[in-house]
Amino acid sequence: MAADVVVIGSGVVGASIALELGRRGWRVTVVDKAGAPGHGSTAASSAVVRFNFSTLAGVSASWEAHFAWAAWAEHLGCDVGQLARFERCGLAMLDVPAAPRSAYVPLFKEVGVPFEEWSSAELRERIPGIDVGSYWPPKRLDDNRFWADAESTLGAVYTPDAGFVSDPALAAQNLAAAARFHGAKFRFHTTVCGVERAGGRVSAVVLGDGSRIPCAVVVNAAGPWSTRVNELAGVGADFTVSCRPLRQEVAHVPAPPGYQTGSGVGISVADMDLGTYLRGEAGGGLLVGGTEPECDPLQWADDPDAVAAHPTMAVFEAQVTRAARRLPELTVPNRARGVVGVYDVADDWTPIYDRTELDGFYVAMGTSGNQFKNAPVVGKFLAAIIEQTENGADHDARPARYLGEHTGLEIDLSAFSRKRPRNTESSGTVLG
């Protein structure tokens, strides 16, 4: 039963960490209360791959990660059966005061992300049927101002290399299969009820059935349960950033006529102006999610296990009606259809990838619904932090740096520190 590393959580992030540590020769055991990889928050992800972040490290990580998605079989490095598929459809980030072009276009230039700046006329031409009116700030449907005509128009910044992953749960399963190839073991339907320590460091993980897994390293990648796992380990006192579980819904509706292009999937739209994001699906579907507009109360969850798993008509109608304001040919069905997920939200919507005050205990948490896209490099981030720290370096004093294999970009991992100053440049939404 002994392992070098126990990873708690087999979502897309936990599975990626297991793969990268396995590649480096660590004996890895992954434990998860679910029945298979990717059955938690990962399965409810919209799996959008985009590059709009408020920090240089965020943009660099997403740009590096997209090369892995685009060459997924090569990233995995072994036969894992059916593969998740990356759909390159492009994304238009609509202009909005909360996230102006001036905040992220310079980062695109520094990192090397290709982009186009569109006027309202170009936006109308590139996305058939779109309403280019500016309605900022977002409003509730019962606010008469929601229905008022726009007094101005907006443009967008388009990134042609953005897209989405066809099946997020399958992506996690692919990573888990590759991790198994490198010796990782997975234990499902398994809860963690304690973390033992000896001599000031991790010594074992205690499971719900009373058994123990002796280990030298634990990685908390438990998603919305991550804070609870930290409490079991007695860590978190020195964190300057906290995390909370947040219930979220993503609506599924038929795409309106004209939205899909010759490639079969229309351009994704990040629309903070109305408080939504849109992305197509192969086969004529459209996913509509929210961007946490101030007019909508956030559904914080004290207990992720108690979250209602079915979409509600109130949230569905609000999100799809906002989307229909942007795409007027979109119809609003009279029955809610979609998925419910729980985000592990950090105070500044930026993740924590770091060690903790307990030697041997590491975290990959606060992924805030915006880190699915970065999963291929998150595993590499944690491997770099763990190997440097376990070899005696002080990651707090001299943070690890990761050199991108595809881009050559050096990413300072202190940007994801548990002790970082709060990211004041964050949009305060899932867009980060």
Side-chain angles (χ1 to χ4, degrees):
M1 289 292 293
D4 295 327
V5 182
V6 173
V7 177
I8 303 173
S10 68
V12 71
V13 168
S16 179
I17 294 168
L19 170 58
E20 297 306 329
L21 290 172
R23 281 174 166 158
R24 289 160 175 77
W26 296 74
R27 294 180 303 159
V28 180
T29 296
V30 182
V31 296
D32 198 304
K33 64 190 298 181
H39 274 203
S41 299
T42 295
S45 174
S46 295
V48 175
V49 175
R50 59 170 174 82
F51 319 113
N52 306 72
F53 283 93
S54 56
T55 65
L56 177 62
V59 176
S60 299
S62 61
W63 184 236
E64 172 71 25
H66 111 277
F67 287 98
W69 292 118
W72 191 229
E74 289 81 355
H75 176 76
L76 298 170
C78 60
D79 183 7
V80 299
Q82 181 183 359
L83 292 172
R85 186 180 69 257
F86 173 66
E87 294 278 358
R88 180 181 180 271
C89 61
L91 179 139
M93 175 77 169
L94 305 191
D95 293 331
V96 65
R101 299 183 187 190
S102 58
Y104 59 88
V105 163
L107 300 179
F108 284 175
K109 291 179 179 178
E110 184 170 352
V111 170
V113 178
F115 67 93
E116 301 171 15
E117 296 193 67
W118 290 352
S119 66
S120 57
E122 290 169 316
L123 174 60
R124 186 183 293 112
E125 178 184 351
R126 295 294 298 270
I127 303 181
I130 193 170
D131 178 346
V132 298
S134 175
Y135 298 99
W136 178 263
K139 304 166 188 70
R140 294 173 56 87
L141 303 191
D142 56 10
D143 184 335
N144 289 334
R145 293 175 300 168
F146 175 83
W147 307 98
D149 293 336
E151 297 181 356
S152 60
T153 59
L154 45 70
V157 174
Y158 173 66
T159 45
D161 294 295
F164 63 91
V165 176
S166 61
D167 186 334
L170 179 58
Q173 292 158 20
N174 291 163
L175 288 164
R180 286 192 185 97
F181 178 83
H182 290 280
K185 302 183 186 308
F186 286 75
R187 295 186 60 175
F188 298 106
H189 301 296
T190 301
T191 58
V192 173
C193 64
V195 176
E196 294 182 352
R197 58 175 72 193
R201 66 170 297 120
V202 164
S203 61
V205 169
V206 182
L207 306 180
D209 62 3
S211 63
R212 300 166 63 255
I213 306 178
C215 59
V217 170
V218 173
V219 183
N220 177 4
W225 295 272
S226 64
T227 297
R228 185 181 298 175
V229 172
N230 277 1
E231 292 170 355
L232 291 175
V235 304
D238 64 349
F239 282 40
T240 59
V241 181
S242 62
C243 301
R244 296 176 66 187
L246 176 67
R247 182 184 186 275
Q248 287 284 40
E249 298 185 24
V250 175
H252 290 191
V253 294
Y259 171 74
Q260 292 186 325
T261 62
S263 65
V265 179
I267 293 171
S268 297
V269 178
D271 185 5
M272 291 177 64
D273 181 73
L274 281 167
T276 66
Y277 65 84
L278 320 170
R279 76 113 165 126
E281 286 189 299
L286 185 72
L287 270 60
V288 182
T291 60
E292 298 75 44
E294 289 188 8
C295 60
D296 290 352
L298 297 178
Q299 299 183 42
W300 297 111
D302 293 329
D303 181 4
D305 293 313
V307 167
H310 300 289
T312 60
M313 195 61 202
V315 174
F316 177 86
E317 184 178 32
Q319 292 184 170
V320 179
T321 302
R322 287 169 175 151
R325 194 79 206 257
R326 188 62 66 198
L327 299 175
E329 293 188 10
L330 175 65
T331 58
V332 183
N334 57 14
R335 178 177 296 181
R337 180 173 177 265
V339 296
V340 174
V342 186
Y343 292 171
D344 183 30
V345 176
D347 292 337
D348 56 4
W349 295 81
T350 299
I352 306 170
Y353 304 135
D354 202 357
R355 59 161 298 165
T356 67
E357 70 266 38
L358 174 60
D359 287 347
F361 193 90
Y362 299 81
V363 294
M365 60 188 292
T367 47
S368 301
N370 61 34
Q371 290 297 294
F372 176 96
K373 61 189 63 58
N374 288 339
V377 295
V378 172
K380 297 177 186 294
F381 289 171
L382 265 294
I385 293 169
I386 291 169
E387 292 200 326
Q388 173 174 300
T389 305
E390 295 301 309
N391 284 324
D394 185 344
H395 178 61
D396 290 336
R398 296 183 300 280
R401 306 178 78 87
Y402 173 74
L403 185 65
E405 298 171 14
H406 302 284
T407 62
L409 295 168
E410 188 176 61
I411 302 173
D412 182 352
L413 300 185
S414 67
F416 309 112
S417 168
R418 71 194 188 282
K419 294 182 174 182
R420 66 175 180 263
R422 180 169 176 162
N423 174 16
T424 58
E425 298 302 315
S426 170
S427 67
T429 75
V430 68
L431 295 179

